[in-house]
Amino acid sequence: AASREMLRVLLKQELVGVPSSVLLFVGNHREGAVALALGRGLANRGVSVAAYFVSNAAVLGDHVAFQKKLFVSSGGKWLGDWGETSVVEEHQVIVDAVLGRELSERPSFKLDVGKQQPFIVAVERPSAELKPDVCFTLAFPKAYLFDVNCPIYLVDINLPMAAYKSYAGDFDPAAVYGCELSVRLRRLVK
């Protein structure tokens, strides 16, 4: 559900419309899996989508492995592990899903987009290497988004109310989302 809503927002004309090519940088966590699901949705719409795995882990986690299988079966191109010598071809959109919400790992990730001016989409926590044009965060606002200097979309993932209370205190999804599946947040202030 989160990736479908991200796809809907991303394809709005005021963001990027339908791009011809997208490159995903995927970490080994749920946010990486969400990025692959987003890539699958783009591939299903005829967009050329490729993905690199950026992680210290030798083996894909279950969520990422499952989404990788669906991504490839939808026509996405799995490029394997990102390496120091990897070259980035031109892409209209780059999706940064390297860092997860929990920061369980901080993989080495260096990227130079050269003269390209791709539209950068961050899923949850943007990596330091890329300056996002838009950021998607799932469920509720996070403190690490205070330093993000771009539009932030909060995407509803239908957590049970007990989970909202546990993780986000007095956050009220009904008041924030209303009838929408995502909302654009105003600038977060500390």
Side-chain angles (χ1 to χ4, degrees):
S3 64
R4 280 191 305 257
E5 181 59 13
M6 289 168 51
L7 180 65
R8 187 190 69 75
V9 171
L10 183 62
L11 295 180
K12 284 182 174 179
Q13 197 59 40
E14 62 266 20
L15 289 183
V16 293
V18 179
S20 60
S21 64
V22 175
L23 181 62
L24 310 174
F25 288 100
V26 178
N28 200 23
H29 38 67
R30 288 180 191 258
E31 293 78 12
V34 168
L36 284 171
L38 172 63
R40 183 178 75 238
L42 289 164
N44 284 339
R45 285 158 179 79
V47 176
S48 173
V49 185
Y52 277 109
F53 183 58
V54 183
S55 176
N56 297 329
V59 179
L60 295 176
D62 292 343
H63 295 294
V64 175
F66 178 71
Q67 289 298 331
K68 174 194 169 197
K69 181 178 178 182
L70 295 174
F71 171 74
V72 171
S73 70
S74 296
K77 184 176 180 185
W78 184 256
L79 301 173
D81 292 344
W82 174 257
E84 294 279 333
T85 59
S86 297
V87 176
V88 175
E89 297 175 13
E90 280 201 31
H91 295 278
Q92 283 182 290
V93 176
I94 293 178
V95 176
D96 174 6
V98 173
L99 300 178
R101 183 178 60 242
E102 302 300 324
L103 273 186
S104 54
E105 66 170 356
R106 285 189 168 273
S108 174
F109 176 64
K110 293 185 172 117
L111 175 66
D112 181 4
V113 294
K115 295 179 182 177
Q116 295 183 64
Q117 294 297 317
F119 189 85
I120 307 293
V121 177
V123 178
E124 282 297 346
R125 185 186 302 263
S127 60
E129 289 73 15
L130 297 168
K131 301 280 187 248
D133 293 297
V134 66
C135 181
F136 289 102
T137 188
L138 309 179
F140 49 85
K142 294 20 168 241
Y144 54 75
L145 294 173
F146 286 123
D147 297 327
V148 174
N149 192 19
C150 70
I152 300 170
Y153 285 86
L154 181 62
V155 180
D156 188 4
I157 58 173
N158 298 313
L159 288 176
M161 282 307 296
Y164 281 114
K165 297 286 184 219
S166 174
Y167 293 111
D170 61 359
F171 180 80
D172 180 4
V176 173
Y177 293 114
C179 296
E180 301 297 324
L181 295 176
S182 66
V183 293
R184 182 172 172 182
L185 298 176
R186 293 191 177 121
R187 179 93 172 111
L188 296 177
V189 180
K190 289 184 184 177

